[in-house]
Amino acid sequence: MVRGSFFKRNKDKKDKKQEKTNNEQENFSIEIGKDLEKNLDNIRKMLDKPNDLIIREFTIRHSDHKGALVFIDGLVDKDVINNRILLRLQRVNERRDLPSSDSKLFDIIYREIISVSDIQRSKTLDDVSNAILYGGTAFYLDGIDDVLIMDTKGWESRSIEEPMTEPVIRGPREGFVENLRTNMVLIRRHIQDPNLRFKTHQIGRRSKRNLVVTYIDGITHPDLLKEINRRLKTIDMDDAPESGYIEQWIEDSFLSPFPQFLNTERPDRVAFSLLEGKVAILLDGTPFVLIAPISIGNALQSPEDYYERWTIGTLLRSLRYLAAFIAIFAPALYIALVSFHQGMIPSKLAFSIAATRDGVPFPAFVEAFLMGVTMELLREAGARLPKTIGQTIGIVGGLVIGDAAVQAGVVSPIMVIVVALTAIASFSLPAYSVAISFRLIRFGFMFAAAIFGLYGIIIAYIMVNIHIVNLKSIGVPYSAPFAPSFFSDWKDLVLRAPIQVLTKRPTYLKTTDPESANKGGQKT
Amino acid sequence: MIRRKICFLISSVILFLLTGCWDQVDIEERGFVVGAGIDLMDKKQNGEYQIKLTNQFVVPSSLGTPAQGGGESKAFSNISATGESMYAIDQEMAQLTSRSPFFEHLKIIVISKDVAEIPNLFAEMMDIFLRDPEMRRGIKVLISDGDAKDILDVKPENEKLTAIYIESIMENSFKIASVLEPVRIGAVHAHLLDQNSYVIPKIAAIEKGLRYEGAAVFHGYDNKMIGELDGDETKGFNLITGNSKKGTLKIKLDEEIIAYELEEVKSEIRVDTKAKDNITISVKINVEGSIAETFGTQSLLKKKNLTEIQKQVEKEIEKIANHTIKKAQEELRADVLGIGNILKQRHYEFWQTVKNEWDHGENYFAKSKFNVSANAKVRATGSTNQTKNQWSDR
Amino acid sequence: MKWFEYGDEKISEREIMIAIPSMVIGVGILSLPRGVAAATTGSDGWITVLVSGIVIIFLTWMTAKLASSFPNKSFLSYSTLIVTKPIAVILTFLFAVTSLMITAYEVREISDIAKQYLFDRTPVAVIALSFLLVVVYAVSGSRAGIFRLNMMFLPIILFITLSVFVFNLGWFKLSNLMPFFQTSFTGYAKGISTGITSYMGFGIILFYVSLVEKPEKTPKYAVMGMCIPVVAYILLFVTCIGVFGHSVASNLLFPTIELAKEVDIPGGFFERFESVFFVIWIMAIFNTTVMAFDVAVLALSSIFKNRAKMTLMLFLTPLVYAVAMYPEDLTEVDTFGKIIGYITAFVTISITVLLTVIAKLRRVRQVD
């Protein structure tokens, strides 16, 4: 509720701001007039005569009708403009005579002459500027206060490749690209269901960016959709260059360390989530698609779990739960055991840890913290460096951490093992955003362990749990299906039951069609 | 919602401000005590006893890591302190060592015979080891013939720490019937509370190392050590109580020595409670085993020989058991065999009538009659029948 | 603008089933074997644990029946229907006070045990404060969140109970259980009274049933929930006697923790299982404390209608802390615990029986 009013306040501010900007830019008219020159002047002024703005003025052949094509170089497919528009307009009366009246001519041009599939009539300058900035072409005809807007998009874009961030061993090799249309196609190709819906929103005050909400009608709960659409409408910022902006604007709790959306580059993952009854949000210009609502269990799932046989899938899942445990708790447990509860370490190990730590100048917490930070630095450096020299980091880091630090007596060898294990465990988590948040929590646990030992760890664990049970993703409890418990969902949580058994969609999503498969299979 | 977050933030800030890391002691600053020895110094005028406590501290740096191999120096240091009470000793100990003693890895407690023989002193010594939550109930207790400190001073050859060495001796000596099962301090606690008589394994320092054999007998009512069981008597004790699972018996078949290896010992004790003064206790010992060693040339596959061997084994067992019972009844007059417990568990009402004078005063235990019967089986003869042949048989 | 509340409805009966064992299992079981063993002979204590369990299960059923015959009504409003408004307010207030005392006792006890088994020099006051603050954090969240916490923690708690049992099988001696059936009648009576106080906590049903959407089946689920602690208690008690023998079990301060101390993890991965056991047990105690505090807040906010939850908690938290810190030493804490046990038993049982009987006599029913 508080959050709601927070938005409201913003909105009031925004309205005032909008008025102000409108006042400043009053030197060109918003409406499209009948005078071609004036119209062209308007658009030039609005965009401040950029040199990639191309205005091609011409006369329609054998007539004195003047026209102009407006588009931005580089965003358009020039072949389309040359062959489908310009050529046809210039050669128009090779076939027959043209009516002399402006409006009739305009009608004929719209209906018969221009052979572009996506064409619209429009009356405002805003539409024109939005269209041409998104690869459209505008056609003005002198004496008409209408304008034709044609879709002539044709810019360079990346081809479909295997996703960089989520490689799988078995599974489709295609990943989303920056182009919204291509991404929609990728999803359509996965789900050939007439009920697959794409709802478009325009995001951004200055940059108008297309955002598409995808779901399957008849599975997704209508309230969920309503809520997502409502939240998307509250978005009010200059631009959303990446889906991360959207995620952060509409998430339930901005203080939470846990991601409340899943982002993925994999169309198969999106398709799977849609069939579960979730909603995907695609944003133009980014290959990362958001999936919501999610729960804590989704964070440790990978599409590959379903591609492998169920025994393997279950093994991989449980391995991942173990990895999550190590990634969060290992350094904290090390601190608690080494500086508080030495009795818990088996005697011989305790003596040898004591021997190796002899001469280490720092308490275990400082030691663990130093190594943890170094590890994060290494990871960050490795991610930023060009690929060709990225390997250097591995060598340098391996040398510095593995050997030199121990030789110099700054850290103990056991600590190196713990840090390495933690790093490996956190790399093995399938979702990067989850791995990051686990890294964050890990430091919290380390602090708690340094203060209270094991008691601190359990207190911190309880606090994280309190947070999780109160957290929601688009209003859906984040802790489902653990609590509130839906036992029927448990067979696809740590376990991955055989495909034939997984006949239900997740209960916590309250799908309108709960069955996803027939247990007995089809009758033959 | 915002309010809740603020509340959460405030509480976590307070939590962090509270930090003092009171209990944080890094592992290398702990003085790990693995073994403790208790000796009697002398008796004071006012009846108080001067006790010497020896703690065996681990010196981790000379224990070494597997990679470095450790140095030649001793991996432990034994530090002794004297005082009237354990608490006073602890204080003194803290002044003697640079690292505060840490008892969570304590493995064994060795108590000298002198301490054990003074009434109640042994129980008092056990108190701190049972009360302190740092201590485990699995600590093993031993009685030493001489000074306990001498035991801890022995430098074993294949182990670096004496206490660990003793512990592994105790755990690996299950093949010897003349040795008691290790006694955990938790079990001692139960005996002390129930006022049972009980036995604790004994250890002695000999010229080259340690000798682990026999048992010290404690009387529950007097609360002190009253005697010992030697190797054979301990064997008898193990057979009667069915504690021993392994071990060998030496028997003779036609003047040739045969070693019989016990593999399974089961004992069954039944008490016949007709009257207080006429208690009959029947002990049935069932053993199964194999022939471990022969010195003769008898063929073991002959039915006649096997029955003979079994008969001899039974005889031997009865002999050993009766010897132990005789010792317990006549010399020690203490119910170390746990007959009292059986009475309590199976004949609770009868036990109520005798429990106050069971093995002291009237001493119904010493007056009761024992019938020992053994039943032996030879399961296997080893992998060969005869290792050498006698010409005459051909 | 209403914030969307999808999937966050009222609680279900199943959550009541989980809440009851979460509430009942707390500090009580840690020392229960001592009290029961001291009163009985051999392993006879299990009979008293079972009998008191059956009594409690019956009372639970009665309580749930009473509360569920007034669906979606708070304790204050249905007790107003049965007895008059002033008496209902007094009863609610009584409940709030006992719940607050339970909260204070649990906070104190956990700090004392933590100090004994995990810490050496950390002051009890600090441990108690840190624990109480986390409790406050949980209570300040949504009420459905508390039930979800129960669901998250209870399986872990039952798992650790089971593992204490399994790992101790090696030390278990059947002969320690004997003799059977030798306890005197007074011994049984004393054991049963100890048992009953250790099962306290089912009073929360009186308040929480009003949150259940369709409470017709609540009595059945409440009984099922109550069976969990009864089984767990009997299991732990018998293990205690079988492992330690009767005399030791009745002399150990916290036999259940000492039981964990006996455990040797196969493979020697780590030692001192009791630290792990106790640390996990903190979750059980946490659940109990949170629900006791929440019931107190719920009861008080039904009396003082115009006070916000946060204001109430801001006032109650220092109070609870002060009460928790009031006893000076272990014996005082022990007496404190006993008094609270008896008061809670008296208040819960008498109110339930009273209300049921009067409701029957006056034929008060739910008026729609």
Side-chain angles (χ1 to χ4, degrees), chain C residues 228-245:
Chain C
I228 297 175
V230 175
V231 172
Y233 279 22
I234 292 176
L235 197 70
L236 282 176
F237 176 79
V238 173
T239 319
C240 258
I241 300 290
V243 170
F244 293 123

Side-chain angles (χ1 to χ4, degrees), chain B residues 38 48 76 82 150 157 160 220 237 248 325 336 355 389:
Chain B
I38 298 171
E48 278 181 357
F76 60 86
T82 44
D150 295 343
E157 275 179 10
K160 291 206 161 120
F237 174 84
T248 44
I325 291 168
V336 288
K355 73 171 179 189
N389 241 323

